[in-house]
Protein backbone atom coordinates (compact mmCIF):
# COMPACT_ATOMS: atom_id res chain seq x y z
CA UNK A 1 0.00 0.00 0.00
CA UNK A 2 1.03 3.60 -0.54
CA UNK A 3 2.07 5.44 2.62
CA UNK A 4 0.61 8.71 1.25
CA UNK A 5 -2.92 7.18 1.31
CA UNK A 6 -3.00 6.96 5.12
CA UNK A 7 -2.83 9.26 8.09
CA UNK A 8 0.03 8.98 10.56
CA UNK A 9 -2.18 7.05 12.99
CA UNK A 10 -2.95 4.42 10.32
CA UNK A 11 0.67 3.62 9.56
CA UNK A 12 2.23 0.64 11.27
CA UNK A 13 5.96 1.23 11.92
CA UNK A 14 6.83 -2.05 10.18
CA UNK A 15 5.59 -0.55 6.90
CA UNK A 16 8.08 2.32 7.00
CA UNK A 17 11.03 1.64 4.74
CA UNK A 18 14.60 2.21 5.79
CA UNK A 19 16.46 4.58 3.45
CA UNK A 20 18.95 3.20 0.96
CA UNK A 21 22.49 4.16 1.93
CA UNK A 22 25.17 4.48 -0.74
CA UNK A 23 28.77 5.36 0.11
CA UNK A 24 31.10 6.30 -2.73
CA UNK A 25 34.84 6.34 -2.08
CA UNK A 26 37.00 7.77 -4.88
CA UNK A 27 40.74 7.29 -4.47
CA UNK A 28 43.23 9.99 -5.35
CA UNK A 29 40.59 12.63 -5.89
CA UNK A 30 41.15 16.15 -4.62
CA UNK A 31 38.50 18.14 -2.77
CA UNK A 32 38.02 20.61 -5.63
CA UNK A 33 38.12 17.99 -8.40
CA UNK A 34 34.38 17.41 -8.26
CA UNK A 35 31.87 19.63 -10.07
CA UNK A 36 29.61 20.21 -7.05
CA UNK A 37 32.35 22.30 -5.43
CA UNK A 38 32.33 24.59 -8.52
CA UNK A 39 36.14 24.72 -8.87
CA UNK A 40 36.88 22.33 -11.75
CA UNK A 41 36.28 21.66 -15.42
CA UNK A 42 35.95 17.91 -14.75
CA UNK A 43 32.56 16.65 -15.89
CA UNK A 44 30.71 14.05 -13.81
CA UNK A 45 27.13 14.72 -14.96
CA UNK A 46 25.37 11.86 -13.17
CA UNK A 47 27.14 12.34 -9.85
CA UNK A 48 26.89 16.13 -10.08
CA UNK A 49 23.12 16.00 -10.60
CA UNK A 50 22.69 13.32 -7.93
CA UNK A 51 24.69 15.20 -5.29
CA UNK A 52 23.06 18.54 -6.05
CA UNK A 53 19.50 17.20 -5.98
CA UNK A 54 19.41 14.04 -3.85
CA UNK A 55 22.39 13.76 -1.55
CA UNK A 56 24.02 15.62 1.27
CA UNK A 57 26.71 17.91 -0.06
CA UNK A 58 29.96 17.19 1.70
CA UNK A 59 31.84 20.45 2.05
CA UNK A 60 34.63 19.24 4.30
CA UNK A 61 37.55 16.95 3.51
CA UNK A 62 37.35 13.81 5.66
CA UNK A 63 39.76 11.41 3.96
CA UNK A 64 43.20 10.25 4.99
CA UNK A 65 46.20 10.69 2.66
CA UNK A 66 46.24 7.06 1.44
CA UNK A 67 43.52 4.61 0.41
CA UNK A 68 43.86 1.86 3.08
CA UNK A 69 43.71 4.53 5.78
CA UNK A 70 40.67 6.19 4.22
CA UNK A 71 38.77 2.92 3.83
CA UNK A 72 39.53 1.73 7.34
CA UNK A 73 38.57 5.09 8.88
CA UNK A 74 35.29 5.17 6.95
CA UNK A 75 34.31 1.59 7.81
CA UNK A 76 35.30 1.74 11.48
CA UNK A 77 34.49 5.35 12.28
CA UNK A 78 37.85 5.59 14.04
CA UNK A 79 41.20 7.16 13.28
CA UNK A 80 43.63 4.62 11.72
CA UNK A 81 46.26 5.15 14.43
CA UNK A 82 43.80 3.50 16.86
CA UNK A 83 44.36 0.14 15.15
CA UNK A 84 47.78 0.50 13.52
CA UNK A 85 47.01 1.45 9.90
CA UNK A 86 48.24 5.04 9.97
CA UNK A 87 51.64 4.73 8.26
CA UNK A 88 51.14 3.16 4.86
CA UNK A 89 48.85 1.25 2.53
CA UNK A 90 48.37 -2.50 2.83
CA UNK A 91 50.35 -4.02 -0.04
CA UNK A 92 49.67 -7.41 -1.59
CA UNK A 93 52.43 -9.27 0.18
CA UNK A 94 51.77 -7.85 3.64
CA UNK A 95 50.62 -10.42 6.23
CA UNK A 96 48.30 -7.99 8.00
CA UNK A 97 45.25 -5.85 7.44
CA UNK A 98 42.33 -4.32 9.27
CA UNK A 99 41.86 -6.50 12.35
CA UNK A 100 38.93 -8.91 12.35
CA UNK A 101 38.31 -7.73 15.93
CA UNK A 102 37.62 -4.20 14.69
CA UNK A 103 33.85 -3.85 14.06
CA UNK A 104 33.02 -2.23 10.73
CA UNK A 105 30.01 -0.47 9.26
CA UNK A 106 28.51 -3.31 7.18
CA UNK A 107 28.24 -5.41 10.33
CA UNK A 108 26.16 -2.65 11.93
CA UNK A 109 23.99 -2.37 8.82
CA UNK A 110 23.37 -6.12 8.81
CA UNK A 111 22.37 -5.97 12.49
CA UNK A 112 19.87 -3.25 11.54
CA UNK A 113 18.34 -5.50 8.87
CA UNK A 114 20.06 -4.10 5.78
CA UNK A 115 21.44 -6.07 2.86
CA UNK A 116 25.03 -5.03 2.25
CA UNK A 117 26.91 -4.86 -1.04
CA UNK A 118 30.38 -3.74 -1.98
CA UNK A 119 31.61 -2.99 -5.47
CA UNK A 120 35.21 -1.96 -6.06
CA UNK A 121 38.54 -2.12 -4.26
CA UNK A 122 38.71 -3.60 -0.74
CA UNK A 123 42.39 -2.89 0.03
CA UNK A 124 42.14 -3.70 3.75
CA UNK A 125 44.08 -6.96 3.80
CA UNK A 126 43.34 -10.36 2.34
CA UNK A 127 46.05 -12.78 3.39
CA UNK A 128 43.40 -14.70 5.37
CA UNK A 129 39.85 -15.43 4.21
CA UNK A 130 38.33 -14.03 7.41
CA UNK A 131 39.69 -10.59 6.47
CA UNK A 132 37.87 -10.37 3.14
CA UNK A 133 34.68 -8.33 2.51
CA UNK A 134 32.40 -11.35 2.21
CA UNK A 135 33.43 -12.37 5.73
CA UNK A 136 33.42 -8.83 7.18
CA UNK A 137 29.72 -8.11 6.81
CA UNK A 138 29.13 -7.72 3.09
CA UNK A 139 26.45 -10.04 1.65
CA UNK A 140 27.79 -9.49 -1.85
CA UNK A 141 31.21 -8.41 -3.08
CA UNK A 142 32.32 -7.66 -6.61
CA UNK A 143 35.78 -6.23 -6.97
CA UNK A 144 39.45 -6.54 -6.14
CA UNK A 145 41.08 -7.24 -2.80
CA UNK A 146 44.46 -5.71 -3.60
CA UNK A 147 45.57 -2.12 -4.14
CA UNK A 148 45.62 -2.32 -7.94
CA UNK A 149 44.87 -4.48 -10.92
CA UNK A 150 45.10 -4.38 -14.70
CA UNK A 151 41.76 -3.33 -16.19
CA UNK A 152 41.82 -5.90 -19.03
CA UNK A 153 43.56 -8.95 -17.55
CA UNK A 154 42.46 -8.38 -13.91
CA UNK A 155 45.98 -9.23 -12.78
CA UNK A 156 48.13 -7.53 -10.18
CA UNK A 157 51.86 -7.65 -9.81
CA UNK A 158 54.24 -6.88 -7.00
CA UNK A 159 57.68 -6.18 -8.39
CA UNK A 160 60.42 -8.52 -7.16
CA UNK A 161 57.86 -10.68 -5.36
CA UNK A 162 56.83 -13.50 -7.68
CA UNK A 163 54.77 -15.16 -4.95
CA UNK A 164 52.41 -12.19 -4.79
CA UNK A 165 51.42 -11.89 -8.43
CA UNK A 166 48.11 -13.17 -9.72
CA UNK A 167 44.54 -12.37 -10.65
CA UNK A 168 42.38 -10.25 -8.42
CA UNK A 169 38.81 -9.83 -9.55
CA UNK A 170 36.13 -11.51 -7.48
CA UNK A 171 32.43 -12.13 -7.25
CA UNK A 172 32.10 -13.04 -3.60
CA UNK A 173 34.61 -15.89 -3.18
CA UNK A 174 34.78 -16.82 -6.88
CA UNK A 175 37.70 -15.58 -8.93
CA UNK A 176 36.76 -13.89 -12.22
CA UNK A 177 39.11 -14.35 -15.17
CA UNK A 178 39.39 -12.20 -18.28
CA UNK A 179 37.98 -15.04 -20.39
CA UNK A 180 34.83 -15.00 -18.19
CA UNK A 181 34.08 -11.45 -19.37
CA UNK A 182 35.55 -11.60 -22.87
CA UNK A 183 38.32 -9.29 -21.64
CA UNK A 184 35.97 -6.33 -21.21
CA UNK A 185 37.57 -3.18 -19.82
CA UNK A 186 36.83 -2.99 -16.12
CA UNK A 187 35.55 0.24 -14.60
Amino acid sequence: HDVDDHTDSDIDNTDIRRPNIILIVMDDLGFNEVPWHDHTDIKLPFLDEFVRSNALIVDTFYAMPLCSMTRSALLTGRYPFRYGLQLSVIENGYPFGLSIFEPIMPMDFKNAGYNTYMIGKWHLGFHRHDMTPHRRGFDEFRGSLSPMLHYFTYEYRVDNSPGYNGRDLWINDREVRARDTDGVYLT
Side-chain angles (χ1 to χ4, degrees):
H1 67 270
D2 190 350
V3 174
D4 294 334
D5 294 339
H6 302 283
T7 65
D8 287 343
S9 61
D10 293 332
I11 298 174
D12 180 25
N13 284 337
T14 60
D15 291 337
I16 297 174
R17 290 181 169 202
R18 288 182 294 261
N20 291 322
I21 299 169
I22 300 171
L23 297 174
I24 299 173
V25 178
M26 294 185 260
D27 280 350
D28 305 322
L29 184 70
F31 178 80
N32 284 326
E33 293 179 318
V34 292
W36 53 90
H37 288 153
D38 298 320
H39 297 287
T40 183
D41 293 330
I42 295 173
K43 305 292 184 218
L44 300 170
F46 172 79
L47 282 177
D48 189 27
E49 173 63 25
F50 180 78
V51 167
R52 290 181 192 271
S53 63
N54 297 311
L56 296 173
I57 295 178
V58 176
D59 60 359
T60 307
F61 187 73
Y62 291 105
M64 297 288 144
L66 296 169
C67 37
S68 294
M69 295 174 200
T70 295
R71 283 171 168 71
S72 63
L74 173 69
L75 292 176
T76 64
R78 298 176 62 206
Y79 289 110
F81 69 84
R82 299 274 185 192
Y83 41 84
L85 293 181
Q86 75 276 12
L87 297 177
S88 183
V89 298
I90 301 168
E91 295 292 351
N92 288 339
Y94 289 8
F96 67 87
L98 181 61
S99 170
I100 60 169
F101 300 108
E102 193 69 44
I104 61 175
M105 193 182 308
M107 296 169 169
D108 294 330
F109 284 134
K110 287 199 58 66
N111 289 337
Y114 279 88
N115 294 319
T116 56
Y117 300 87
M118 180 181 169
I119 300 170
K121 179 172 86 169
W122 173 246
H123 201 188
L124 291 173
F126 63 96
H127 72 284
R128 294 188 340 228
H129 287 291
D130 60 349
M131 299 179 85
T132 60
H134 207 213
R135 303 224 173 34
R136 295 300 313 269
F138 287 102
D139 296 315
E140 295 286 328
F141 169 67
R142 284 161 170 65
S144 63
L145 299 171
S146 67
M148 68 202 109
L149 76 154
H150 190 279
Y151 289 119
F152 286 105
T153 65
Y154 316 141
E155 294 176 352
Y156 66 86
R157 183 181 146 145
V158 179
D159 292 332
N160 302 320
S161 299
Y164 296 107
N165 300 331
R167 283 182 236 28
D168 187 30
L169 185 62
W170 302 88
I171 295 178
N172 298 322
D173 295 326
R174 184 178 62 83
E175 181 182 14
V176 177
R177 297 174 180 258
R179 70 174 177 255
D180 299 333
T181 63
D182 295 324
V184 172
Y185 183 75
L186 177 72
T187 57

